[in-house]
């Protein structure tokens, strides 16, 4: 993996909590070695599409009305979710919120990354539903920094995605070429 824009956000966050540069580098390397981070930082279109489709699967399942609104407005996850995932939310959320997100992400992996995205969308769902496509995209790229942390984590908690379920969906989509099987 070569340098990818977004890595600096991860390293900067680690440096805020660690004094030893080698220890920070080791943590960063370990973070990149997790399957989800490894896949998205390789920037291979097939892998990016797989993780975007996984996110969309859970978006449609958990927030169907907002999912349909985004589809009508042509607001694609590549516009917001990829940036959120590449920076593990450092770029879009306040640092104290990011610390809590990372704690859970390190334990639960991609499932928690998706739950966080859906929690953000759910938290601001009413606001987003009154916007047009340009305003939605702008809002999601500049989430209000005064968001209520407890409310966000309450929304995240309500989204039932386990690491096993997420892995199952990734595997199923991977086996079907990124296409959701018909039921």
């Amino acid at each position: 993996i070569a340098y990818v824009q977004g890595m600096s956000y991860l390293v900067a966050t680690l440096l805020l909590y660690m004094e030893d540069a080698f220890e920070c580098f080791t943590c960063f390397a370990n973070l990149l070695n997790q399957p989800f981070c490894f896949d998205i930082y390789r920037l291979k279109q097939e892998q990016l599409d797989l993780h975007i489709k996984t996110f969309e699967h859970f978006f449609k399942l958990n927030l169907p009305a907002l999912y349909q609104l985004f589809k009508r407005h042509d607001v694609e996850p590549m516009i917001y979710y990829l940036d959120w995932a590449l920076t593990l939310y450092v770029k879009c959320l306040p640092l104290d919120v990011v610390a809590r997100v990372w704690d859970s992400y390190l334990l639960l992996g991609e499932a928690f990354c998706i739950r966080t995205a859906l929690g953000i969308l759910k938290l601001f769902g009413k606001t987003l539903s009154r916007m047009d496509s340009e305003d939605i995209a702008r809002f999601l790229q500049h989430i209000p920094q005064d968001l209520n942390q407890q409310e966000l984590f309450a929304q995240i908690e309500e989204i039932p995605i386990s690491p096993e379920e997420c892995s199952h969906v990734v595997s199923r989509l991977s086996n079907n070429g990124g296409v959701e099987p018909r039921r």
Side-chain angles (χ1 to χ4, degrees), residues 142-158:
H142 303 284
I143 295 170
Q145 295 296 293
D146 61 349
L147 63 87
N148 183 320
Q149 183 176 156
Q150 280 67 37
E151 200 172 319
L152 173 61
F153 281 93
Q155 298 297 333
I156 292 170
E157 191 64 35
E158 289 179 11

Side-chain angles (χ1 to χ4, degrees), residues 156-176:
I156 292 170
E157 191 64 35
E158 289 179 11
I159 298 167
I161 304 169
S162 69
E164 297 77 20
E165 183 182 11
C166 186
S167 292
H168 177 74
V169 170
V170 169
S171 178
R172 189 175 72 223
L173 289 171
S174 180
N175 292 336
N176 291 319

Side-chain angles (χ1 to χ4, degrees), residues 120-150:
I120 292 167
L121 295 174
K122 191 173 179 185
L123 180 65
F124 294 110
K126 288 181 183 168
T127 302
L128 293 166
S129 68
R130 295 188 300 267
M131 295 179 174
D132 64 20
S133 59
E134 287 181 25
D135 289 335
I136 291 170
R138 192 174 308 111
F139 184 91
L140 294 177
Q141 291 169 349
H142 303 284
I143 295 170
Q145 295 296 293
D146 61 349
L147 63 87
N148 183 320
Q149 183 176 156
Q150 280 67 37

Side-chain angles (χ1 to χ4, degrees), residues 26 40 55 57 76-77 80 85 89-91 102 104 108 110 113 115 127 130 136 158 163 169 182:
T26 303
I40 62 171
F55 168 75
H57 167 86
E76 296 296 325
Y80 58 95
Y89 298 96
V90 174
K91 190 174 170 183
W102 279 33
S104 295
L108 303 170
E110 182 176 8
C113 190
R115 288 175 60 198
T127 302
R130 295 188 300 267
I136 291 170
E158 289 179 11
V169 170
R182 291 187 174 238

